[in-house]
Amino acid sequence: MRRTRHIWAGATAALLAAGVITGCSSDSERSAPSCAETPNGTRVAAGPTVTGTDIATNPEIASGYRGNMTPVRTGTYAVSAANPLATQAACRVLADGGTAADALVAAQLVLGLVEPQASGIGGGAFLMYYDAASRAVEAYDGREVAPAAATENYLRWVSDTDQTAPQPNARASGRSIGVPGALRLLELAHNDHGKQPWRDLFTPAIDLADQGFAISPRLAGQIAESAPDLARDENAKAYFLQPDGSPKPVGANLTNPAMAKTLGAIASDGPAAFYTGAIAQDIVDATATTSGGRTPGQITLADLAGYQAEKRTALCTGYREHEICGMPNPSSGGITVAATLGILSNFDLSALPPDNVDNNGGKPNAQAVHLISEAERLAYADRDKYVADTDFVPLPGNSPDTLLNKDYLKQRAAQINPDRAMGTAQPGDFGPVPLGTGPQAPEHGTSHVSVVDKYGNAAAMTTTVESAFGSFHLVDGFVLNNQLTDFNANPTATDGAPLANRLQPGKRPRSSMSPTLVFDRGADGARGQLSYVTGSPGGSVIIQFVVKTLVNMLDWRLDPQQAVSGVAFGAANTPVTGVGGEHPAIDATDKGDHDPLVRRLREMGHQVSVDAQTSGLSALRRDGDGWIGGADPRREGAVMGDAK
């Protein structure tokens, strides 16, 4: 692959890359110039909005909404990623004849630079991959694992003899850091499906690390919000903050020579350069640091050397005339999306489309929001009780089929009152189980990439460092995750029953990531052609974001941009139903009291929140002999591909 020193030349291009200015929108679809599409739409909510409760309820910061984005039409290949520099790096790989697997490597490495608050080689990922030649759907698990020395109280207290909480808190201590898995996943997928040389795929990120890039508004806002925690780590402080301790601003050029060196080693020697040797030792030392009074973690060189990404059996279920393929355990995303859709298949959602559909997706029908939120409550109830790493905790019946049985989901659907919200759903009863229930802390710092290549292959990969900037530990240029906080810190329920998602050595924490592939399905149930690729960041709300997008496209026939731009709505298993107040169709003033949709939902018994949502959806849809795609207006993403 050719080396590309300057991704976009000139000040205007740097501002485009930073999201300071955006391309013009129109009322029609746009053909994508080859690997040069720019963001579009008008940002209607200026700048990051940070409040004392924002991070508690929303993954990362809310950063506005680009109104009136229009879909991008491409020819034989397309990619949508959360930052235009990552999208362009992946697109150029595809233009050079690379596969979707090749493009993922380039995209992930650049994302780790331009949105280190969300993803990177110090974190993990889940990948759904379609191989067109074999027609196989494969699920790749690159989730982090707990170190061998971890106990079930590892996040709860310093030791059995020192039962004080990790300092300065579980997340910012070394205890939150899991053994990273993203690189091993990329290696496995590339070995199976790549065409381009591994080392060539590192060139865009290495060049970007060497020469620098403009800090985008979203990254600048997150640096500002996280500055006190970043200041605890000397490397993070030097990289993200000014000498006086203030956050580096929008548009500042950020170079990362340490990351360039790290990526150069991995490009030359493969992931072994990360999981063994000097980099591995640096990870161990950073995890074990007690600087700033931090409680050390217990990752060892053996933990790193022994890490393996896993290939899992894809979770594929029917919905209407489609087949939905999602990620199995240890992600709860695939099974919860499938359960929600299975419940909704008992209702005619096509009769409840949004009103006044425009480029932003229109305004959802209150009855549709009610039915979908209720279905999600029921699905989350089962997820919360039964779903964890199945290498440690079996599902009921030792198979996802029990929770996804058509008759069972029909019974669940019958529990929905069409006129009244249930508040909190009860899980299904599958007999005595030695497990309690417990909520999951969400993945705050997450990203998503959707790709199709000219060979017909496709990939949906969701990638994360968990919370924004992970554990705030920066080593050799990259952020270390805090993924272990996705476990329940307390290993038992109030009745003493062990929790399914308790921490255990070598275990993978439960996730909500939901990378999704959608196929047409024949009358005989046989899998047809690939038709959609989608996924999102967003913590435990990822499931709701993906369900919203699938219903928008499959039931209401919105185009991919309308589908991802549309109002974010849904519910976990609580009385609260979210309706994203960042959307221009929602009147969020006075907590939504003046909005007709919000008022109607409250009349039905929903406790409605209009907090801004922070999805980062992408969606690609087959369109004749080409593709049409959309990127979430709530982040900085872009769709690129070859011209139609």
Side-chain angles (χ1 to χ4, degrees):
M1 194 183 95
R2 62 181 179 272
R3 290 177 66 85
T4 306
R5 278 288 176 186
H6 298 287
I7 304 273
W8 275 321
T12 300
L15 291 172
L16 275 167
V20 177
I21 61 175
T22 60
C24 297
S25 65
S26 70
D27 292 329
S28 61
E29 296 168 357
R30 298 166 299 123
S31 292
S34 183
C35 303
E37 188 59 70
T38 59
N40 72 107
T42 303
R43 188 172 292 278
V44 297
T49 301
V50 182
T51 69
T53 59
D54 189 52
I55 297 303
T57 57
N58 286 302
E60 300 185 57
I61 57 171
S63 53
Y65 185 95
R66 291 175 286 171
N68 292 311
M69 289 180 68
T70 53
V72 175
R73 188 180 295 276
T74 71
T76 60
Y77 58 83
V79 58
S80 181
N83 182 284
L85 293 177
T87 302
Q88 191 172 61
C91 186
R92 288 183 170 172
V93 169
L94 297 172
D96 285 346
T99 66
D102 296 322
L104 284 177
V105 177
Q108 172 67 96
L109 299 175
V110 172
L111 285 173
L113 282 167
V114 299
E115 51 161 35
Q117 77 275 22
S119 70
I121 61 175
F126 288 112
L127 164 65
M128 294 298 302
Y129 199 92
Y130 174 62
D131 181 80
S134 66
R135 297 184 58 79
V137 179
E138 299 173 321
Y140 291 83
D141 172 5
R143 186 68 159 167
E144 299 90 335
V145 302
T151 68
E152 63 180 16
N153 290 310
Y154 187 70
L155 297 171
R156 192 179 178 193
W157 51 56
V158 173
S159 68
D160 288 342
T161 56
D162 181 4
Q163 295 185 5
T164 58
Q167 295 300 313
N169 52 63
R171 172 190 168 183
S173 74
R175 294 296 176 87
S176 67
I177 302 169
V179 180
L183 276 173
R184 285 298 189 199
L185 178 150
L186 293 173
E187 175 191 40
L188 185 56
H190 183 262
N191 287 344
D192 288 348
H193 303 290
K195 289 175 66 74
Q196 298 279 14
W198 171 264
R199 65 176 299 128
D200 289 353
L201 303 175
F202 283 65
T203 300
I206 292 173
D207 289 348
L208 202 59
D210 277 335
Q211 304 217 356
F213 59 92
I215 295 177
S216 73
R218 186 172 181 82
L219 175 55
Q222 193 65 67
I223 291 172
E225 197 279 335
S226 302
D229 291 301
L230 293 169
R232 290 194 182 99
D233 184 273
E234 288 302 316
N235 292 331
K237 179 180 179 181
Y239 184 54
F240 292 114
L241 306 182
Q242 307 268 42
D244 65 358
S246 62
K248 291 183 178 178
V250 172
N253 191 60
L254 197 61
T255 60
N256 194 335
M259 186 62 158
K261 181 179 178 181
T262 294
L263 293 177
I266 301 167
S268 298
D269 300 329
F274 179 91
Y275 288 96
T276 62
I279 298 173
Q281 185 63 60
D282 290 344
I283 294 171
V284 170
D285 292 344
T287 303
T289 185
T290 58
S291 66
R294 289 181 289 190
T295 300
Q298 298 176 17
I299 289 177
T300 66
L301 291 174
D303 289 322
L304 287 159
Y307 181 87
Q308 293 184 342
E310 302 287 348
K311 290 178 72 171
R312 310 284 186 184
T313 300
L315 182 62
C316 297
T317 56
Y319 181 66
R320 317 293 189 198
E321 66 271 24
H322 302 282
E323 182 175 24
I324 314 293
C325 291
M327 194 70 209
N329 303 59
S331 179
S332 67
I335 196 169
T336 313
V337 168
T340 301
L341 294 177
I343 294 169
L344 291 173
S345 66
N346 294 281
F347 301 92
D348 182 11
L349 291 182
S350 66
L352 302 169
D355 298 322
N356 303 315
V357 174
D358 56 8
N359 288 341
N360 299 323
K363 187 156 187 171
N365 178 286
Q367 186 66 25
V369 174
H370 170 69
L371 293 175
I372 293 166
S373 299
E374 296 293 270
E376 289 171 341
R377 286 185 171 93
L378 290 161
Y380 271 93
D382 283 349
R383 166 219 187 251
D384 291 347
K385 181 169 184 177
Y386 296 116
V387 179
D389 183 347
T390 45
D391 290 343
F392 288 76
V393 181
L395 288 168
N398 293 305
S399 168
D401 295 343
T402 302
L403 293 175
L404 299 178
N405 178 273
K406 186 175 181 179
D407 291 336
Y408 170 67
L409 294 179
K410 187 173 183 178
Q411 294 171 13
R412 299 291 273 171
Q415 297 179 35
I416 296 176
N417 181 331
D419 302 315
R420 193 70 187 170
M422 67 179 65
T424 301
Q426 294 302 308
D429 184 3
F430 295 101
V433 290
L435 305 170
T437 59
Q440 173 198 357
E443 298 97 354
H444 292 292
T446 307
S447 194
H448 183 82
V449 184
S450 295
V451 188
V452 291
D453 65 32
K454 67 180 181 180
Y455 311 105
N457 308 309
M461 184 177 77
T462 312
T463 169
T464 182
V465 292
E466 214 281 326
S467 299
F469 295 115
S471 63
F472 306 114
H473 292 62
L474 189 75
V475 56
D476 294 342
F478 58 90
V479 169
L480 289 173
N481 68 85
N482 67 302
Q483 207 65 251
L484 299 190
T485 58
D486 267 0
F487 286 117
N488 292 104
N490 191 327
T492 60
T494 54
D495 62 359
L499 291 176
N501 193 41
R502 66 192 182 279
L503 195 154
Q504 295 172 271
K507 190 176 182 180
R508 301 178 188 224
R510 181 176 61 195
S511 171
S512 299
M513 291 185 274
S514 308
T516 305
L517 303 175
V518 181
F519 298 84
D520 296 335
R521 193 174 236 187
D524 60 354
R527 179 185 297 158
Q529 71 175 359
L530 175 76
S531 49
Y532 300 86
V533 182
T534 192
S536 182
S540 59
V541 193
I542 287 172
I543 293 159
Q544 298 164 46
F545 296 150
V546 170
V547 167
K548 174 210 79 167
T549 303
L550 291 172
V551 170
N552 275 341
M553 294 190 294
L554 304 182
D555 288 293
W556 298 330
R557 307 301 179 186
L558 302 189
D559 70 44
Q561 187 59 63
Q562 292 170 320
V564 301
S565 294
V567 174
F569 62 84
N573 192 23
T574 77
V576 177
T577 298
V579 175
E582 80 290 343
H583 195 281
I586 302 301
D587 182 353
T589 59
D590 296 327
K591 299 183 179 180
D593 286 348
H594 311 294
D595 187 89
L597 170 62
V598 174
R599 289 204 308 267
R600 177 63 186 132
L601 290 170
R602 286 174 177 159
E603 289 170 1
M604 300 171 78
H606 295 264
Q607 297 179 20
V608 181
S609 166
V610 291
D611 287 348
Q613 296 298 303
T614 56
S615 56
L617 286 152
S618 68
L620 305 173
R621 185 193 78 198
R622 186 183 297 278
D623 188 63
D625 59 354
W627 293 88
I628 183 171
D632 203 313
R634 299 161 185 85
R635 299 202 183 193
E636 299 165 336
V639 181
M640 301 181 194
D642 55 339
K644 175 72 173 175

